[in-house]
Amino acid sequence: MHVETVIEDARWNGVALAETAQRACAAALSHLGLEGDFEISLLGCDDARIAVLNADFRGKPRPTNVLSWPSEERGAEQDGDMPQPPGEGLPGMPEELGDIAIAHETCAREAQEQGKTLADHVTHLLVHGCLHLLGFDHIRPADAELMERLEVEILAKLGVADPYG
């Protein structure tokens, strides 16, 4: 499992974004029993950049904390079911799971407002984003319960407190 990280905002270096992403995403995959050669692309950006991405891809011209673009649709058909697991990559080629973008100002503000460390909040958002790449979502009620439960379980293994508690 490899996270290819591009840092556009140098403030991300203060929280070791590349290392945090590698650890968070590897934990999510491991928790789900996904072994194999997987790759995720991550953009560490600022609010201005993510607002453009949010406008372009979701029609919402404002900053958000994290965005995810799965390489393919893996979502479950029935509310609360497990999504389809990703396939195996070609020999010698990792299976691309998709892209994640994360915005520094929004993450820092949310962490402060919620009384969390930035590192813990970013870890949570990276686990959240990785789960989106794997087909998990929080639009339907049972899907949201499943995704939240998995986030809490994965974060506990990483020593991060329940972000919903």
Side-chain angles (χ1 to χ4, degrees), residues 20-102:
T20 302
Q22 184 69 39
R23 187 170 160 255
C25 293
L29 291 169
S30 175
H31 186 76
L32 295 168
L34 296 172
E35 306 283 328
D37 194 11
F38 298 107
E39 183 174 84
I40 294 170
S41 296
L42 172 65
L43 173 64
C45 61
D46 61 13
D47 275 7
R49 174 81 154 128
I50 211 162
V52 170
L53 294 169
N54 205 17
D56 288 350
F57 292 96
R58 298 178 63 222
K60 298 179 180 185
R62 61 184 175 275
T64 189
N65 51 21
V66 66
L67 292 171
S68 299
W69 297 271
S71 60
E72 63 184 73
E73 177 56 44
R74 297 181 179 93
E77 288 187 27
Q78 298 295 316
D79 187 14
D81 285 353
M82 290 292 284
Q84 289 291 102
E88 292 291 318
L90 298 172
M93 298 285 295
E95 176 69 16
E96 295 179 10
L97 298 179
D99 304 329
I100 298 172
I102 189 165

Side-chain angles (χ1 to χ4, degrees), residues 110-165:
E110 289 174 346
Q112 184 176 36
E113 290 170 355
Q114 297 170 22
K116 301 174 183 174
T117 67
L118 181 57
D120 283 356
H121 189 50
V122 167
T123 299
H124 172 217
L125 292 173
L126 290 168
V127 166
H128 183 88
C130 183
L131 289 175
H132 275 308
L133 297 183
L134 296 169
F136 293 90
D137 211 337
H138 42 80
I139 295 172
R140 300 180 299 192
D143 288 344
E145 286 179 30
L146 174 61
M147 187 172 182
E148 184 176 310
R149 178 180 53 80
L150 289 171
E151 287 175 20
V152 170
E153 291 170 1
I154 294 163
L155 291 169
K157 290 180 177 179
L158 293 168
V160 177
D162 178 351
Y164 302 106

